[in-house]
Amino acid sequence: MFELSSGQIGAWVGSFMLPLFRISALLMFMPLIGTQLVPGRVRLYLSLAICLAIMPSLPPMPAIDAISVEAFIWIAQEILIGAMLGFVLQLFFQIFVIAGQIIAMQMGLGFASMVDPANGISVPVIGQVFTILVTLLFLAMNAHLVVFEVLAESFFTLPVGGGFLLENYWEIAHKLSWVLGAALLLVLPAVTALLVVNLAFGVMTRAAPQLNIFSIGFPLTLVLGLVIVWIGMADFLAQYQMFATEALQFLREMARAR
């Protein structure tokens, strides 16, 4: 009769289940795979596949009792580390979502909202367009492979059972201000141009009070806003590369990877 001792079960849990929790938490929180578009079963299968692929290159894992309090503490730590890495990527994607919302409000397109299938909420169309562009660029430039590389290196820099790093989460809290600043930097040219347009309509209203500025100004602001967004797309790739480089570098710093 085949029997397993508690030591053998603990060694299996330590060598496979603990890395699986970190990988699963990352995939649950990262923008592309962790959205509502990807079923939970697919994310679980992908987590198992990644865990089996990187297991031979991982450092030796500690053997623990599978039903002890220490095991649950280590599982919670692995989930927090994976969630931390995934949340950094969420911050990067939210830069472009916020930028699209600011531009849409300035050009009078804030009412034109659509349901974001990734998050299940209504967002302006411009923000959704920016999200689609960032997603395509993220995949085209193999940034997701960089994320998986950092994940594999995190098992060496943040070993399983190596202690809870609270300062990393304080760094994420301080990084929230970077998201708003980066979004404002991204939309600054478009917002400035739209401000000039609105000032011009204000001067027209004072010069010709009989002119119905609401029937003329709104469609013109909308058309000029779309033209400004179209012109700004010429510099979208350079801005994406700058923010993506900083976000991935911050991800490496959080994981203490090379």
Side-chain angles (χ1 to χ4, degrees), residues 131-173:
T131 303
I132 295 173
L133 288 176
V134 172
T135 302
L136 294 176
L137 289 174
F138 192 83
L139 295 175
M141 296 185 176
N142 293 327
H144 59 291
L145 300 181
V146 177
V147 175
F148 294 147
E149 179 186 359
V150 174
L151 174 64
E153 291 185 11
S154 68
F155 288 100
F156 294 90
T157 57
L158 300 175
V160 175
F164 183 73
L165 299 176
L166 184 61
E167 63 272 12
N168 287 352
Y169 298 92
W170 284 113
E171 290 179 10
I172 289 183

Side-chain angles (χ1 to χ4, degrees), residues 230-252:
W230 174 63
I231 296 174
M233 285 297 173
D235 195 41
F236 190 85
L237 180 59
Q239 293 173 332
Y240 166 81
Q241 289 177 338
M242 179 180 63
F243 294 136
T245 301
E246 187 171 353
L248 293 176
Q249 182 61 34
F250 179 64
L251 183 67
R252 290 185 177 274

Side-chain angles (χ1 to χ4, degrees), residues 6-137:
S6 59
Q8 291 173 328
I9 296 176
W12 179 77
V13 171
S15 61
F16 182 76
M17 293 301 295
L18 290 177
L20 180 63
F21 277 108
R22 182 182 299 191
I23 297 171
S24 301
L26 172 66
L27 297 184
M28 292 295 177
F29 279 88
M30 69 179 300
L32 302 179
I33 305 175
T35 61
Q36 298 179 1
L37 297 175
V38 181
R41 185 177 300 177
V42 174
R43 283 177 279 183
L44 178 59
Y45 291 157
L46 185 58
S47 302
L48 290 172
I50 295 175
C51 187
L52 291 175
I54 67 176
M55 270 187 63
S57 61
L58 296 182
M61 297 293 171
I64 59 174
D65 188 0
I67 56 175
S68 64
V69 177
E70 183 183 12
F72 288 103
I73 294 176
W74 286 11
I75 289 173
Q77 177 181 334
E78 294 304 304
I79 294 175
L80 286 175
I81 292 176
M84 172 189 69
L85 299 178
F87 188 68
V88 172
L89 296 175
Q90 285 285 358
L91 292 180
F92 166 65
F93 272 73
Q94 290 304 313
I95 291 174
F96 299 90
V97 176
I98 296 174
Q101 291 176 350
I102 295 175
I103 294 177
M105 294 300 177
Q106 288 294 321
M107 63 187 294
L109 203 60
F111 67 91
S113 61
M114 60 181 297
V115 177
D116 184 3
N119 300 315
I121 59 176
S122 296
V123 296
V125 176
I126 301 298
Q128 189 68 9
V129 170
F130 282 4
T131 303
I132 295 173
L133 288 176
V134 172
T135 302
L136 294 176
L137 289 174

